[in-house]
Amino acid sequence: MAHPHARRATTRTRLVLRVIAGVVGAAAATVFLLAIWMVVSSRFGWDDRDVHGYSLLFGTPVAVFAGLVVAVSLPLAMPPKHRSRTRAVTLGVLAVTVLLLVIAVVTA
């Protein structure tokens, strides 16, 4: 049987790691949403804003990378019983978003 202080330290450590994963996931989600906004506004916005399409070309890989960070870190911030569902939802959203971003780049 584990010592009560050792169990409490493990629980605190896990809580701290979950909070760190949540902060990383929230920061990456912010970058992800901003990059998607940059790509969408470049693709469907006014022509004088992004004449050469650099926002479209550079925003897509940034969004994909930030989406991967969200898909990895956000399930770690959830309680263990909710991680599989959160992982499935984040990976599904990431897959659909990457598909739409690639379509936006290819059809530009």
Side-chain angles (χ1 to χ4, degrees), residues 53-93:
Y54 289 127
S55 295
L56 183 70
L57 293 175
F58 293 122
T60 301
V62 168
V64 170
F65 180 72
L68 284 172
V69 173
V70 171
V72 169
S73 64
L74 197 60
L76 296 176
M78 297 295 155
K81 63 181 179 178
H82 297 294
R83 285 186 185 160
S84 62
R85 180 176 294 158
T86 306
R87 186 173 293 118
V89 169
T90 56
L91 287 176
V93 168

Side-chain angles (χ1 to χ4, degrees), residues 1-83:
M1 186 164 157
H3 196 306
H5 294 293
R7 183 171 181 210
R8 191 175 325 150
T10 303
T11 304
R12 285 183 185 162
T13 303
R14 287 183 182 176
L15 180 64
V16 168
L17 291 175
R18 283 178 51 197
V19 168
I20 291 171
V23 169
V24 169
T30 303
V31 172
F32 180 63
L33 292 174
L34 288 174
I36 288 174
W37 177 257
M38 186 171 59
V39 169
V40 169
S41 67
S42 173
R43 177 66 175 94
F44 299 112
W46 294 307
D47 291 333
D48 61 343
R49 286 185 57 169
D50 187 23
V51 179
H52 301 291
Y54 289 127
S55 295
L56 183 70
L57 293 175
F58 293 122
T60 301
V62 168
V64 170
F65 180 72
L68 284 172
V69 173
V70 171
V72 169
S73 64
L74 197 60
L76 296 176
M78 297 295 155
K81 63 181 179 178
H82 297 294
R83 285 186 185 160

